[in-house]
Each structure stands twice: as structure tokens, then as C-alpha cells.
Amino acid sequence: MVLYIGVIVVADRPKILVVEDEENLARLLELELSEEGYDVVVALDGINGLSAAREHSPDLVLLDVMLPGISGLEVAARLRKSSNIPIIMLTARAESEDQVKGLDAGADDYVVKPFSIEVLLAKIRAQLRRTRPGAEGPIRYADLVLNPQTREAWRGTKRLDLSAREFDLLELFMRHPGRVWGRMEIEERVWGEYGESNVVDVYVGRLRRKLEEAGSGRLLYTVRGAGYALRERL
Ligand code: CA
């Protein structure tokens, strides 16, 4: 099933096949990945996963280890016989045995459930950079340019001097222009956890100051009672 949720369909969006029998998790991944700009195909078991891989030629497979019928390890091994498509295993346990078996079966990487969506997205981007070099060009919004590959950003002709977190924060905003991000969401996405602190406000404040020193006009707005958004006007 392919779902488009509030995104503009553009040519050459990477396609991700999710093979996961926990339907809630499969649908959550479908939603998150669609929002991130990927085309998503979901299969709820290994047999359907293999046929979906043949039918849809995905650019990457997210593959659960524990599947009914044939296991994720077997699916990985069969996929590997005919293709070098990136495979990220979703492992249920932190035990290293599963991860070693997954990598032995031909997987490129793994995440351990429960995983942070941001960690998974970073691993997906890393795999796609490897197999689709140059496919992910610079991201632009207003007079901002951000290059995820070199981790450089500019406003107009001025290069922004950003810390790693500030860069991640700007990347999050630039991947979703106009979207309002709550503090909790930002903390989960950029820091990978949520704590009771004003760290987000501090970092957004710093990033906003750096953006405004490099060019004219506000781009990072506070949306009262809701959070922050990258916009050309509030
Ligand atoms: Ca499972």
C-alpha cells in the first residue's frame, strides 16, 4: 500500500519497503516516512515482503527480524541473492546475536526496538547517500541553502557558523518548511529524547540570532502556544 500524506509528490522520491508484522508499528513507520518525503510500501510478512520487493523495486528495505512464516533473516538472505539493495533490520532485542545474524544474512545496518525515529531516519539517509550518491542535493528555503552531505549552510552568500545541534535543528526546519514544531517534537527529533528543560528555546534562540545576523528578515518564528516554524512571515 502506498500512502501520500500531505506531501507533494515529486519525481524520484526514494521508495522504502517496510516489512513488519506489528501492524501498528508498520503504519506508524508508513506515516513518518511518508511525511519525510519517501514513497512507502508496507508488507506484513516475509512472503509478501519478497513479492513487494520484486514488484516495487524499492531503494531500501526496513526488515523486521521476527516475522511469521519466513523470518526476516531468511528474507534478507533471499533479497541478497539478487540485489544489493540497502537493508536495515529492525531487531526486537538488544542482544548482539540477532544483530550479528542480521548482518551475516546481508543486512547493512540495524536498529533495536524501541528505536527513535530520528535515529532510524539518519540511518536511512546514510544508506541512501551510499547507494544514490548525489540524489540528495542541497535543501533550499527562502535565501537559505543547506547541504546535508557537507553539513554546511548559507544565508544568501554568508556561510552560517553552526554547532552540530544548531545544524540538525536547521535541517529539521528546512526539511519541513512552514510546519509548526512543538518543543517536545523538536527535542525528540534533534536530541533523541525529551527532558524537562528549556534547551530547545535556547537553541532556537541562538539559531534565530545567527540567521538574522547573516541576512535581513526573520525566518524562524515563535508560534504562540504551539512551538516554532521556519516561515517567511508568521
Ligand atoms: Ca515482528
Side-chain angles (χ1 to χ4, degrees):
M1 183 192 282
V2 180
L3 270 183
Y4 300 108
I5 299 165
V7 292
I8 299 159
V9 178
V10 293
D12 203 30
R13 300 198 330 164
K15 189 184 290 177
I16 297 180
L17 169 61
V18 176
V19 188
E20 168 61 74
D21 63 310
E22 285 169 54
E23 204 168 341
N24 287 344
L25 178 57
R27 296 301 164 211
L28 177 71
L29 288 171
E30 185 175 43
L31 194 75
E32 294 275 3
L33 296 171
S34 301
E35 191 177 295
E36 211 59 30
Y38 297 109
D39 282 345
V40 186
V41 179
V42 171
L44 298 175
D45 62 50
I47 295 288
N48 282 306
L50 286 168
S51 55
R54 279 193 300 273
E55 191 182 330
H56 296 280
S57 314
D59 297 292
L60 183 142
V61 182
L62 293 183
L63 182 57
D64 185 28
V65 172
M66 303 285 280
L67 290 170
I70 59 171
S71 77
L73 298 175
E74 179 64 26
V75 173
R78 291 199 202 173
L79 286 173
R80 266 296 160 268
K81 281 186 186 162
S82 57
S83 102
N84 55 7
I85 181 175
I87 300 172
I88 300 178
M89 304 292 300
L90 310 176
T91 65
R93 287 163 297 179
E95 280 134 48
S96 60
E97 198 189 329
D98 263 8
Q99 291 137 25
V100 171
K101 279 186 191 158
L103 296 172
D104 278 349
D108 298 282
D109 205 347
Y110 59 83
V111 288
V112 178
K113 294 178 187 175
F115 47 82
S116 113
I117 189 71
E118 193 53 39
V119 167
L120 179 62
L121 292 173
K123 290 190 173 207
I124 289 171
R125 286 196 294 269
Q127 291 298 326
L128 292 176
R129 268 200 296 278
R130 189 172 62 75
T131 54
R132 296 163 47 100
E136 188 183 43
I139 307 169
R140 293 166 200 277
Y141 179 75
D143 57 350
L144 294 171
V145 179
L146 178 145
N147 187 330
Q149 307 216 34
T150 61
R151 293 184 64 83
E152 292 173 303
W154 294 266
R155 182 164 191 189
T157 55
K158 285 197 187 134
R159 184 160 172 230
L160 300 168
D161 182 20
L162 303 177
S163 71
R165 290 287 195 210
E166 289 162 0
F167 184 91
D168 293 343
L169 190 56
L170 181 60
E171 183 174 356
L172 177 70
F173 283 118
M174 286 188 68
R175 286 184 185 279
H176 308 269
R179 184 193 193 287
V180 180
W181 290 91
R183 284 175 185 77
M184 271 176 78
E185 288 180 302
I186 294 174
E187 229 179 304
E188 271 171 24
R189 292 294 190 112
V190 175
W191 278 264
E193 59 191 6
Y194 179 69
E196 294 292 327
S197 71
N198 65 345
V199 64
V200 169
D201 306 281
V202 171
Y203 273 80
V204 169
R206 267 188 223 161
L207 179 59
R208 176 187 282 148
R209 198 161 56 244
K210 288 185 180 182
L211 293 179
E212 290 178 11
E213 279 166 6
S216 65
R218 174 151 289 192
L219 289 172
L220 204 44
Y221 284 92
T222 303
V223 182
R224 195 169 297 218
Y228 299 104
L230 185 70
R231 292 177 177 176
E232 291 192 81
R233 60 189 68 82
L234 186 60

